[in-house]
Amino acid sequence: SAVISQKPSRDICQRGTSLTIQCQVDSQVTMMFWYRQQPGQSLTLIATANQGSEATYESGFVIDKFPISRPNLTFSTLTVSNMSPEDSSIYLCSVLSTGRSEQYFGPGTRLTVT
Amino acid sequence: GNSVTQMEGPVTLSEEAFLTINCTYTATGYPSLFWYVQYPGEGLQLLLKATKADDKGSNKGFEATYRKETTSFHLEKGSVQVSDSAVYFCALSLYQAGTALIFGKGTTLSVSS
C-alpha cells in the first residue's frame, strides 16, 4: 500500500484565518480525495483532487471555502479558508491507485478553530 | 441515492466473545464494499474488502461476506481481544460515481478483559 503523509498533524487556529494542509504520497496514484471527520462523526467527502485541473466538490462544499490543488500525481493541498469553530475537524486525504479498488488514508490533520 | 447503514453502537463485549457488526447498503450500481477501522488516536486503516457478490473479505480474524440478495456486508469475528477496541466503519464505492467512499456512521467496539 502507498505511504501517505500529511502536514501539519494538528493545529490550533484563530477564526477568520486560513490553513493549508499538505498530502504527500510515496508513489504516483490515480486519484486523491479529501475527507472531513467532524468530532465523533463519520467521514464525509469534501472533494476529489484532479491532477492538472479543478477539483470536483461534493454538495455542501465550495471552492472558495476549500480550495484544493494537485500539481502532480503524488501531492495535493487542501486549504480551509476564513475558518470558524464549525471547521474544527480531522481532515484526511486518501489515495486510489490504478487497478485497485481500495483507498488508503493519510494520518489526518486535527484542526481546532478558536 | 447511495448510502450505508451500520448498527448503532457502542458495542461492549468481554474478551473472547463473538462479534457481529451489521452493515447494509443501498447502491444504484454494483459497489465494492469495505470495512475500515480507526484505533484510538490513530488514522483510518483498511481492514478488509469485497468487490463482488459472494466474495468474502478477511483479515486479522475478521470476516465479512458480500451478500447481494440482502445488500449486506456484516463484520464478524469469532473471538475478540481487548486490542480490537476501536471504531469500525463500513463503506462502499462505485466506479460509476467516481469511486469515492461513502461511509456508514461508524460503530464503536469496546472489549474488556
Side-chain angles (χ1 to χ4, degrees):
Chain A
S1 63
V3 176
I4 306 163
S5 60
Q6 282 185 238
K7 288 195 293 187
S9 59
R10 60 177 63 227
D11 207 342
I12 301 173
C13 301
Q14 294 197 352
R15 76 168 63 215
T17 63
S18 297
L19 176 72
T20 295
I21 302 167
Q22 299 179 3
C23 179
Q24 179 75 55
V25 192
D26 68 342
S27 58
Q28 293 185 350
V29 293
T30 308
M31 302 186 77
M32 298 180 76
F33 304 91
W34 288 97
Y35 291 83
R36 180 175 73 182
Q37 185 178 23
Q38 293 178 300
Q41 302 297 313
S42 186
L43 285 82
T44 302
L45 179 68
I46 297 172
T48 302
N50 300 310
Q51 195 264 328
S53 65
E54 196 170 282
T56 304
Y57 290 85
E58 296 300 298
S59 176
F61 298 96
V62 295
I63 188 171
D64 289 346
K65 176 68 174 176
F66 297 102
I68 287 170
S69 78
R70 188 179 174 194
N72 57 51
L73 294 175
T74 64
F75 185 78
S76 178
T77 67
L78 167 74
T79 299
V80 186
S81 303
N82 188 24
M83 288 184 283
S84 67
E86 292 71 35
D87 294 320
S88 297
S89 296
I90 299 173
Y91 292 85
L92 301 103
C93 70
S94 74
V95 303
L96 179 68
S97 297
T98 303
R100 309 291 298 183
S101 60
E102 67 275 14
Q103 292 183 28
Y104 292 95
F105 284 80
T109 295
R110 184 178 295 271
L111 171 61
T112 303
V113 183
T114 60
Chain B
N2 305 308
S3 65
V4 175
T5 303
Q6 281 181 245
M7 63 185 287
E8 295 284 334
V11 174
T12 304
L13 295 173
S14 298
E15 206 165 22
E16 299 183 1
F18 184 86
L19 168 71
T20 299
I21 300 177
N22 289 336
C23 171
T24 57
Y25 67 90
T26 302
T28 53
Y30 299 98
S32 295
L33 301 173
F34 308 87
W35 278 99
Y36 283 86
V37 58
Q38 189 171 39
Y39 297 102
E42 298 186 16
L44 207 62
Q45 300 177 25
L46 176 67
L47 181 59
L48 54 84
K49 69 172 186 177
T51 57
K52 60 184 187 296
D54 299 325
D55 267 2
K56 178 186 283 188
S58 62
N59 186 24
K60 299 182 181 180
F62 290 90
E63 292 183 343
T65 301
Y66 189 140
R67 301 285 189 201
K68 185 179 176 184
E69 63 276 13
T70 54
T71 63
S72 65
F73 192 55
H74 305 321
L75 183 68
E76 297 182 336
K77 186 174 186 182
S79 175
V80 294
Q81 305 300 312
V82 172
S83 57
D84 293 326
S85 298
V87 181
Y88 292 82
F89 293 94
C90 185
L92 69 82
S93 72
L94 280 162
Y95 180 79
Q96 307 93 300
T99 68
L101 288 165
I102 298 169
F103 285 89
K105 292 188 175 182
T107 303
T108 299
L109 169 66
S110 179
V111 181
S112 58
S113 58

